[in-house]
Amino acid sequence: MPQKDVVDLSEDEARIELERLAAAIAAADIAYHQNDAPEISDAEYDALKQRNDALEEAFPELVRADSPKGKVGAAPAEGFAKVRHGAPMLSLAKAYSDQDVVDFIERGRRFFERDKDLELAFTAEPKIDGLSASLRYENGIFVRGATRGDGTVGEDITANLRTIEDIPERLAGSGWPEVIEIRGEVYMTYAEFQALKQRSAAIGGQDYVNPRNTAAGSLRQKDPSITASRNLKFFAYAWGLASSEPADSQFGAVQKFAEWGFKVSPLMVRAASADELIAHYRNIEAQRASLGYDIDGVVYKVDRIELQKRWGYVTGEPRWAIAHKFPAEQATSVVRAIDIQVGRTGTLAPVARLEPVTVGGVVVENVTLHNEDYIKGVDSKGEPIREGIDIRIGDSVVVQRAGDVIPQIVRVVLDKRPEGAVPYEFPQTCPVCGSPATREINPKTGKEDSRRRCTGELICPAQAVEGLRHFVSRGALDIEGLGAENIDLFFAKGLVRNAAEIFTLKDRRPEVQLALAERREEQARAREAASGRVRKNVRSVDERNFEGLDKLFAAIDARRQPELDRFIFALGIRHIGETTAAALARTFGTMEELIRVGKDVAAAADPIAAFPSVDGIGGTVIGALADFFGNERNDDVLEALLRQVQPQPYVLSIATDSQVAGKTVVFTGSLEKMTRSEAKAMAERLGAKVAGSVSAKTDILVAGPGAGSKLKSAQALGVEVISEDEWFERVGG
Ligand code: IVH
């Protein structure tokens, strides 16, 4: 939106704009801090704040009682107990240019002008893009942890923070103050974020937008074992209330934190001049992409605590510190096409194909458009989400990598919209199989799902091939030598059209051999073309592959009696991951029984009431089971499959007299005497229940070397922890 210069504004105009800014910033704060779902980019947010500051400076008499300046975040969300911080959690002033940094240091020099020989040194450290947390230690023991909230009052998330490995339960070393609030940032690594996204996609679960919001959501879980499963991290960088100062400098304090057992940023340095600070900023910026987690700037702080105190504070911010932000990495490109990808669970995922463009050193060609509403430019309530409205083919768009690895379209350049560009029409049928694609209504909320799904299920080739890949994947049937690449090939050649046909592949041996040989030939030719070298001694197609093929067929045969839980997981029923599959196997014992119950539930007026109560299985899973077993097409598929494979009945506790019978056990860390699945099978044979994560219901945690967050949760919950050897002693060899 074109903006008048502040000097050109009348008082009335300024008043109206200040009101609008206060509302917009408050709304953005709630979206970001309470809902973990930002509706505007950081750059846009900062622009609003800057404009507000400029207006307040020009019109001091118009500063509102609810001025956004000096306010930090938003009031705590409902649901957690409130905690008043011993000292407020502050925000930081921001620098957007080198000049802003020079000005900051100049202000410092002027402030301390009288002190002739004063050495004004600063620290420079990365600004981690996560959530700040305050951890209260009394006599070296972690007693309470809270979110920032509005800076004065946060939420009590102690149980969740206890699951984070980087947060010591007891401080190491010595010399800590009797009471101290350690402040720092909780964050999620890209690796953890991607792994979570994949796990969720595999069961058709929710989508995650970026590591920061996911970390926020993970910290606000009611069940700490969910937080534990997210493997969050923590860097300590400051402190609040302290019965005595931990050190006389920022640098010294952070060193102390490290001695006490915290992780601290390895990129912190001490420097005296603007040039040195800016040089370190460039240095950190250059490493940004390889850190493995998001940072959004560099924080400079006056090093000596005594000088910090003298320089003091303005509303909600220290004068003695500033955050030098990285510019948002943006570039403009053109949308060439919008493609729809169909996933295993039928989700139609739109992807914008862009003219390749470099954004922050990475070439971006494909950008997810999330869903239909997103393309239209509205959120789930129909409210606009971006300036420039909808995205059309031919549009010029601003692409941003805001530190996130995942590029996003933040704006459409409307001036450049080609004449005749029409709104994108989201397909109402599956582009792969032509079945109707619908938006489900969530029975709980009554709201339409943001994603459209293909209803073709297994008749949809896209879903079928994804389903086959899943069927042979590691947690499922795990067939050696039959990875995604071979599945794609056999599917494309019509040799395997459904899971049952994997087991009859042997009958089509000549065709399989030919398909494999042709692919090798193609690959070899492609390599030749790329390298310019020509192969010698080319063997005929028939001479190769015999041995490999026998092995493949043997591996397939070896899986004809899979464990029941693997088999259930392999079916790829929506919302049924490995843990849920295991719970179903344990409860129903045989596939026949699960089918019988599934059919009953599918026919029942109230599926949830018809389903027996099973730990860890709720409405979503029951609904998915009803859908699956209520769909006649799946009957044929299952029948054909069960003619080929015989899932082993789940053996319920043979031993009821063992020491672990009836106990819930969790294994973690690396086990040395048995594999994880052996451990599980053994425990279950002895009548124990094996869980994937630690909760209040866990009785025993068997922890091998390298045990991490599960060990921490167990300790936090007072669960008995034993070693692998102790486990063997207990179960008698
Ligand atoms: S110091 C007195 N250091 O940035 C200053 N903050 O905009 C207290 N942040 O709420 C904060 N990395 O969430 C400080 N190395 C760092 C930081 C950092 C990230 C966050 C923190 C704070 C926000 C202020």
Side-chain angles (χ1 to χ4, degrees):
M1 201 195 317
Q3 232 171 21
K4 270 194 187 173
D5 261 359
V6 173
V7 287
D8 297 333
L9 289 176
S10 71
E11 216 176 277
D12 276 346
E13 285 173 326
R15 184 178 300 112
I16 292 168
E17 197 179 339
L18 279 167
E19 183 183 337
R20 189 178 63 75
L21 285 164
I25 292 169
D29 277 340
I30 288 179
Y32 187 92
H33 291 282
Q34 284 190 2
N35 304 339
D36 304 321
E39 282 160 5
I40 60 176
S41 69
D42 287 358
E44 284 164 317
Y45 181 81
D46 289 344
L48 292 178
K49 286 275 247 192
Q50 268 178 298
R51 177 78 175 170
N52 185 74
D53 293 356
L55 280 170
E56 289 191 0
E57 207 176 298
F59 298 91
E61 67 288 358
L62 295 184
V63 171
R64 301 167 56 87
D66 64 349
S67 159
K69 192 165 168 75
K71 242 203 242 161
V72 181
E78 296 298 318
F80 287 93
K82 311 272 182 282
V83 182
R84 180 167 291 273
H85 302 304
M89 291 184 79
L90 303 175
S91 171
L92 291 169
K94 301 199 171 56
Y96 297 96
S97 64
D98 293 358
Q99 187 56 46
D100 289 348
V101 179
V102 172
D103 292 348
F104 164 66
I105 291 183
E106 257 320 296
R107 283 199 296 281
R109 296 219 189 292
R110 273 204 305 278
F111 185 84
F112 294 111
E113 212 166 27
R114 303 240 178 96
D115 233 329
K116 288 281 173 282
D117 334 291
L118 178 102
E119 190 211 337
L120 190 58
F122 297 85
T123 57
E125 58 192 280
K127 185 170 188 303
I128 317 295
D129 195 10
L131 300 304
S132 47
S134 182
L135 317 170
R136 187 180 169 101
Y137 285 81
E138 291 176 6
N139 298 310
I141 295 168
F142 178 41
V143 294
R144 196 170 317 106
T147 62
R148 180 166 75 170
D150 64 4
T152 307
V153 175
E155 299 163 275
D156 185 339
I157 51 163
T158 313
N160 292 342
L161 289 167
R162 278 195 210 279
T163 69
I164 299 177
E165 243 175 281
D166 296 345
I167 296 179
E169 189 52 36
R170 281 165 181 280
L171 299 182
S174 58
W176 8 270
E178 213 175 287
V179 176
I180 185 165
E181 289 172 346
I182 300 285
R183 305 268 165 92
E185 205 81 355
V186 176
Y187 65 98
M188 182 178 263
T189 62
Y190 294 144
E192 205 52 56
F193 175 69
Q194 297 296 3
L196 174 64
K197 253 178 106 81
Q198 267 166 22
R199 286 201 302 274
S200 180
I203 58 166
Q206 79 172 98
D207 193 21
Y208 295 93
V209 180
N210 63 40
R212 200 210 80 93
N213 294 309
T214 309
S218 305
L219 267 188
R220 295 243 175 84
Q221 294 294 326
K222 282 281 164 202
D223 175 358
S225 63
I226 299 182
T227 313
S229 74
R230 303 283 168 84
N231 294 316
L232 298 172
K233 302 251 175 203
F234 180 83
F235 274 133
Y237 52 63
W239 69 99
L241 175 81
S243 52
S244 59
E245 300 291 0
D248 60 8
S249 67
Q250 163 72 9
F251 205 82
V254 170
Q255 274 174 338
K256 280 271 161 55
F257 297 162
E259 282 169 31
W260 297 343
F262 288 100
K263 293 279 187 320
V264 301
S265 169
L267 295 174
M268 173 163 161
V269 299
R270 192 159 29 183
S273 67
D275 285 351
E276 279 175 84
L277 291 178
I278 291 167
H280 193 54
Y281 170 93
R282 300 264 179 268
N283 174 15
I284 292 180
E285 193 177 28
Q287 297 184 51
R288 187 176 181 191
S290 56
L291 290 178
Y293 51 87
D294 279 336
I295 60 173
D296 57 350
V298 175
V299 183
Y300 310 128
K301 300 173 187 167
V302 167
D303 189 33
R304 276 174 55 193
I305 306 304
E306 178 224 334
L307 300 182
Q308 292 182 356
K309 288 189 176 148
R310 277 169 61 190
W311 199 357
Y313 301 83
V314 274
T315 36
E317 289 171 1
R319 285 207 171 87
W320 45 265
I322 199 162
H324 190 182
K325 300 272 282 189
F326 294 131
E329 296 172 338
Q330 292 191 335
T332 305
S333 179
V334 175
V335 178
R336 283 279 159 247
I338 296 178
D339 286 347
I340 303 285
Q341 291 171 343
V342 183
R344 177 169 67 79
T345 52
T347 314
L348 267 49
V351 181
R353 309 288 181 200
L354 304 178
E355 267 320 293
V357 64
T358 306
V359 191
V362 175
V363 178
V364 176
E365 294 180 75
N366 306 312
V367 178
T368 176
L369 295 177
H370 300 285
N371 56 54
E372 188 167 1
D373 292 339
Y374 182 90
I375 299 177
K376 284 191 195 140
V378 294
D379 65 13
S380 57
K381 293 185 208 99
E383 302 286 338
I385 53 169
R386 76 175 88 76
E387 206 185 314
I389 326 297
D390 65 324
I391 295 170
R392 303 183 184 183
I393 295 170
D395 266 342
S396 290
V397 290
V398 176
V399 182
Q400 176 167 311
R401 286 177 61 240
D404 305 340
V405 263
I406 305 124
Q408 301 274 355
I409 289 179
V410 290
R411 196 155 54 81
V412 175
V413 187
L414 267 188
D415 306 350
K416 290 203 190 160
R417 175 164 280 174
E419 222 167 288
V422 291
Y424 177 73
E425 255 181 67
F426 203 91
Q428 310 290 303
T429 55
C430 171
V432 179
C433 73
S435 302
T438 57
R439 289 174 72 164
E440 293 164 12
I441 307 287
N442 182 329
K444 269 191 235 150
T445 59
K447 271 205 281 186
E448 217 180 22
D449 191 342
S450 61
R451 289 179 283 193
R452 200 171 275 280
R453 287 199 140 79
C454 162
T455 54
E457 301 198 3
L458 292 177
I459 68 147
C460 175
Q463 289 188 62
V465 75
E466 290 296 333
L468 285 170
R469 283 167 163 225
H470 173 76
F471 189 84
V472 300
S473 68
R474 255 182 72 195
L477 279 243
D478 194 13
I479 299 177
E480 214 181 312
L482 192 59
E485 202 184 322
N486 280 339
I487 285 290
D488 289 355
L489 176 71
F490 297 154
F491 187 81
K493 298 278 180 196
L495 295 172
V496 171
R497 290 164 302 180
N498 55 49
E501 289 188 354
I502 291 175
F503 296 92
T504 59
L505 194 60
K506 220 172 17 187
D507 306 343
R508 296 180 290 287
R509 183 180 185 115
E511 291 88 345
V512 172
Q513 198 175 332
L514 186 65
L516 289 169
E518 279 174 359
R519 186 179 59 195
R520 282 209 200 173
E521 193 59 28
E522 254 167 49
Q523 287 170 343
R525 248 187 254 122
R527 273 198 303 275
E528 253 176 45
S531 68
R533 245 177 290 150
V534 177
R535 288 169 296 163
K536 291 184 213 140
N537 305 327
V538 181
R539 290 189 292 168
S540 85
V541 161
D542 294 343
E543 286 172 62
R544 280 177 277 147
N545 291 333
F546 282 110
E547 215 182 305
L549 262 190
D550 285 337
K551 259 198 189 155
L552 175 63
F553 294 144
I556 292 173
D557 281 340
R559 284 284 183 245
R560 282 183 192 268
Q561 278 93 37
E563 296 92 330
L564 182 58
D565 52 344
R566 279 179 180 273
F567 183 77
I568 296 171
F569 175 63
L571 292 177
I573 304 170
R574 237 176 117 193
H575 300 297
I576 299 192
E578 287 176 77
T579 315
T580 309
L584 291 170
R586 241 189 338 265
T587 308
F588 299 112
T590 63
M591 196 56 214
E592 289 69 28
E593 183 62 8
L594 177 62
I595 294 174
R596 193 188 64 72
V597 174
K599 292 267 168 217
D600 278 357
V601 168
D606 179 358
I608 297 181
F611 197 84
S613 147
V614 180
D615 241 10
I617 293 182
T620 312
V621 168
I622 297 172
L625 285 171
D627 286 349
F628 183 85
F629 289 105
N631 183 336
E632 277 172 30
R633 276 202 295 251
N634 289 332
D635 291 351
D636 301 340
V637 174
L638 252 182
E639 227 168 80
L641 187 54
L642 288 172
R643 273 199 295 275
Q644 299 298 329
V645 297
Q646 298 79 42
Q648 294 163 33
Y650 194 89
V651 188
L652 281 171
S653 47
I654 305 168
T656 44
D657 53 350
S658 88
Q659 270 204 48
V660 296
K663 300 258 162 84
T664 299
V665 183
V666 174
F667 292 92
T668 188
S670 51
L671 301 176
E672 277 149 5
K673 303 211 167 79
M674 51 188 172
T675 64
R676 197 55 74 86
S677 36
E678 277 170 326
K680 184 166 177 260
M682 175 186 201
E684 283 168 351
R685 263 197 320 274
L686 293 163
K689 191 174 137 189
V690 179
S693 58
V694 173
S695 72
K697 291 188 191 137
T698 310
D699 297 300
I700 304 170
L701 179 78
V702 183
S709 54
K710 285 183 192 157
L711 178 56
K712 291 214 60 178
S713 324
Q715 285 164 343
L717 293 164
V719 169
E720 182 184 14
V721 178
I722 62 175
S723 68
E724 192 181 0
D725 285 340
E726 285 166 329
W727 165 258
F728 278 110
E729 271 165 39
R730 192 162 302 192
V731 299

